[in-house]
Every structure is written in structure tokens, then in C-alpha cells.
Amino acid sequence: MRILASTLLFFLLTATANASGTKVYDSDIPGVAIAGDIFVAGAWTRQSPPGVDVGAAYMRIKNNGEKSDRLLSAEVMYADEVEIHMMGMKDGVMSMSEVEDGLEIESGTAVVFEPGSYHLMVKGMTEGPMAGDIVTFMLEFEKAGLVNILMPVAPIGAKGPQN
Amino acid sequence: MKSVRIVLWALVALALVGAGLLYWQKNYSDVDIGFSIGGPFTMTDTKGQVFTQANLKGKPYAMFFGFTHCPDVCPTTLWEMTTYLKQLGTDGDKLNVVFVGVDHERDTPEHLATYLSAFDDRMIGLSGTERQIAEMAKAYRIYYKRSVNDDDDVLYDHSASIYLFEANGDFKSTIAQGENPETALEKLKLLID
Ligand SMILES: [Cu+2]
């Protein structure tokens, strides 16, 4: 069963090459993508409240490789910029800061992006997505390269993709 | 032999602490430690009307602070509050739920009205001038700090707890960021009773 699933996954995930020769991994399963040793799962974003041009996206990234990798950047069509942010809670005070120079994902470990923690900060949205939509984020890893990942859009303020 | 002695001394110490606590309870339980959260404030509601603590009197209230250009925590908290109000049903009418925007530049009454339209319409949104917000934050023991990052984005660090007050304005308890939703709902029910 597991072999069948991974074979299916193999066919669903196709590695293509873009004009510059860089590998771009595409996935057509919402929330999941594989780029070499990098597995991304549980990816989702959510609709933003009205009148706001910022948003957040979340996912889990696992590095199955021998060497550490680094999430360098991300982008999405409907926004000017996407940044890697960390939400920190200290003495009941929430503060947010950008992760400079990318986020390291050490060999054999996973990084979890979730509300109140790491998030992809989406800035300068022209027309943000609506709950029920599926959008494509492109992630850039130092070693694994570029990966397009489909993210389902959850309702405003949702704490997970199922809400 | 030595360990027995340690145990005995520990027991003695425990007894002393116990006696001390009893003594403290008896004599000092009503000592004023200067603990106060809450108090009067003057802000503006989403209709542009002046809103003070007097507008909240008669109902217990839940109050939290944030800013609308906050992508992560604030929408989550507002959505949680919306869920609790839905679960409380008409009992939710016995409660005032207040969201205070600490961003005096962008959290205007009009903007808060638009923003809050996505959440339970019983929620009250408050805006203020820089000074009004500072005064209110001081009374409510809220920490917030404006910062501008390299991209000229204005961001705020802010206290993320929801503060619960009795109908007379006395502070009761908090719902912490990330608190178990069942516990949070229980606290709100207790507050209404
Ligand atoms: Cu952020």
C-alpha cells in the first residue's frame, strides 16, 4: 500500500526545468510537495480580514537529506512580497520578526510553520485569496531548488486547514 | 543515618513553611499589594462615537489588544472569540467583547469597522489617539511597542492575552494566547454567571 502511494506520488510530482535550467518541482496535490530531500506537507494559507493587505501561510518542512538545507525565499502571485517570519511569545507579549538569511532546516529535522510561530508573511496583497481557493506558492531552497506548492485557503482567522 | 536526619530536617522546614502560611493567611490576606488591572479610558468606537468604561458597565467584559495589520495572532484571536460567542449563543449577549486597536495610525474607526465585519458583530472595536491608547494600555497593564523594520513596515509587539472583567469593572482572569478552547469557553461562561 505504501509502495503504491509513493509510486502515485512520484507520478503526480514532476520535476521540470525552467528556462534558466534550474529545477522547478511541481506538485498537483494541495498542501504537499517534494523537492529532492525536502518534503513539504500540510501547507495552507487563510483568507485575510477585509481591509488588510497582509496575510500568512503555514506548512511543515522536513529535510530527509544528509546535509542541512535552507529555505531562502518564497513568492506568490497576488502579493508584492513574501517573507519568512517568526512569531515569538515572551512574557505574554507577541512580537514578530523576519528570519534573516533564510531559515535553516537541519538534516533529518522538520520545521513547523503554524499560527503563533513561524509563518510565511504575505505582504502587499493586491487581491487576497478567498476561503476555498487554492493558490500556488513558490519556495526557494538553497540546495533543493525551487518548488511550487499548492495551498488551500482556509477561512479568516482559521487555526488550521480543516477549519 | 545521615539521610534520616536530612528527611527530619526537611519535615521541620515544611512545618515551618506551613505555619508561616497559616500565619500569613490569618493576618495578611487583605494586604493591598497594589495589584490593579483596568480602569477608566476614553476611546472611539467604530461608529465614531466617544466610548468610555461607562459604556461597558452592567455587563462583564472580555478585552484584548492588537492591530489590524497583524497577519498571524490577531485574526486567530478574533476568530476564536467569534467561535466562543457563537457557542455561547444568546448568552453571548450578556457579555461585552472589546478589541482595542493599538495602531493609532491605521486602526481608525472606519478601518476597524471594515476589519471587524468579518467577525461576530457583537464585538466592539475601539480606536484612539496615540495618547489615549497609551493611557488605556497603562491602566490595563498592556505592553505594546511600535517598531519599523527595514522595509518600512510598521509593526507592533503587544500583549496577546484576553482580559476578563466583572460587570463592575473588577479584573477577574485572563485567557492566555493558545489556551485550550474548552477552558477558555468555561471561563467566559463563569464570567457571565
Ligand atoms: Cu509576520
Side-chain angles (χ1 to χ4, degrees):
Chain A
M1 194 54 211
R2 181 175 286 180
I3 293 170
L4 181 68
S6 41
T7 318
L8 254 172
L9 211 61
F10 179 79
F11 284 111
L12 286 166
L13 305 160
T14 48
T16 51
N18 68 7
S20 65
T22 319
K23 239 183 192 180
V24 182
Y25 294 87
D26 277 309
S27 164
D28 53 8
I29 311 171
V32 179
I34 295 176
D37 289 328
I38 294 289
F39 286 20
V40 185
W44 62 288
T45 183
R46 65 186 183 192
Q47 188 180 331
S48 289
V52 177
D53 67 349
V54 291
Y58 309 95
M59 63 195 157
R60 301 188 296 271
I61 306 172
K62 174 104 197 271
N63 180 0
N64 288 303
E66 300 282 298
K67 290 184 183 133
S68 118
D69 203 342
R70 196 171 275 275
L71 175 63
L72 295 177
S73 67
E75 57 186 84
V76 68
M77 239 174 55
Y78 56 78
D80 290 341
E81 232 182 320
V82 178
E83 292 173 350
I84 305 159
H85 278 204
M86 175 63 193
M87 204 75 223
M89 176 83 149
K90 212 187 153 210
D91 302 330
V93 175
M94 271 292 170
S95 73
M96 184 168 79
S97 54
E98 185 176 0
V99 178
E100 306 280 351
D101 308 318
L103 175 66
E104 182 168 15
I105 301 141
E106 284 174 44
S107 161
T109 69
V111 177
V112 177
F113 286 61
E114 61 186 359
S117 176
Y118 285 111
H119 56 272
L120 290 178
M121 169 99 178
V122 183
K123 286 166 51 177
M125 296 195 299
T126 37
E127 208 172 317
M130 307 294 281
D133 289 353
I134 290 182
V135 295
T136 305
F137 276 71
M138 186 163 80
L139 310 175
E140 185 196 356
F141 292 93
E142 191 173 68
K143 296 200 181 73
L146 298 171
V147 51
N148 282 321
I149 181 158
L150 298 175
M151 296 200 194
V153 183
I156 296 168
K159 287 195 283 185
Q162 308 303 342
N163 278 308
Chain B
M1 223 24 230
K2 197 179 173 192
S3 59
V4 170
R5 196 181 292 168
I6 289 170
V7 169
L8 281 174
W9 275 115
L11 282 173
V12 169
L14 210 68
L16 281 173
V17 169
L21 275 177
L22 275 177
Y23 181 75
W24 183 78
Q25 269 188 349
K26 231 179 173 171
N27 296 285
Y28 296 106
S29 59
D30 56 351
V31 161
D32 180 9
I33 57 163
F35 179 91
S36 85
I37 292 182
F41 60 84
T42 305
M43 300 286 279
T44 306
D45 69 14
T46 49
K47 296 180 197 87
Q49 305 292 316
V50 171
F51 196 101
T52 68
Q53 196 190 20
N55 293 77
L56 294 172
K57 285 275 164 69
K59 281 186 194 178
Y61 55 101
M63 183 179 271
F64 54 107
F65 295 71
F67 67 112
T68 61
H69 282 72
C70 149
D72 185 77
V73 175
C74 306
T76 309
T77 308
L78 283 157
W79 185 83
E80 283 172 339
M81 226 41 236
T82 299
T83 311
Y84 300 146
L85 282 169
K86 199 189 279 172
Q87 286 167 327
L88 289 170
T90 49
D91 272 356
D93 299 346
K94 298 176 192 159
L95 183 74
N96 279 317
V97 179
V98 186
F99 174 73
V100 182
V102 298
D103 183 344
H104 65 96
E105 291 153 301
R106 294 176 297 187
D107 295 346
T108 61
E110 305 78 51
H111 181 65
L112 270 185
T114 309
Y115 184 84
L116 289 176
S117 69
F119 303 98
D120 192 290
D121 57 16
R122 285 170 284 189
M123 273 195 262
I124 299 162
L126 297 184
S127 308
T129 62
E130 194 173 359
R131 185 161 162 198
Q132 284 174 329
I133 293 165
E135 279 170 1
M136 185 169 183
K138 196 175 167 202
Y140 285 78
R141 307 295 178 105
I142 292 296
Y143 172 85
Y144 72 105
K145 187 167 165 282
R146 182 184 186 274
S147 65
V148 182
N149 68 11
D150 300 344
D151 297 333
D152 289 332
D153 297 322
V154 176
L155 297 172
Y156 284 86
D157 295 353
H158 61 89
S159 304
S161 298
I162 299 167
Y163 290 66
L164 306 179
F165 297 89
E166 316 254 21
N168 64 4
D170 281 355
F171 172 75
K172 179 144 188 199
S173 62
T174 63
I175 296 173
Q177 174 67 34
E179 186 149 341
N180 177 320
E182 278 156 36
T183 318
L185 189 63
E186 269 319 299
K187 284 183 178 176
L188 290 174
K189 281 181 182 163
L190 270 175
L191 192 66
I192 293 168
D193 278 346

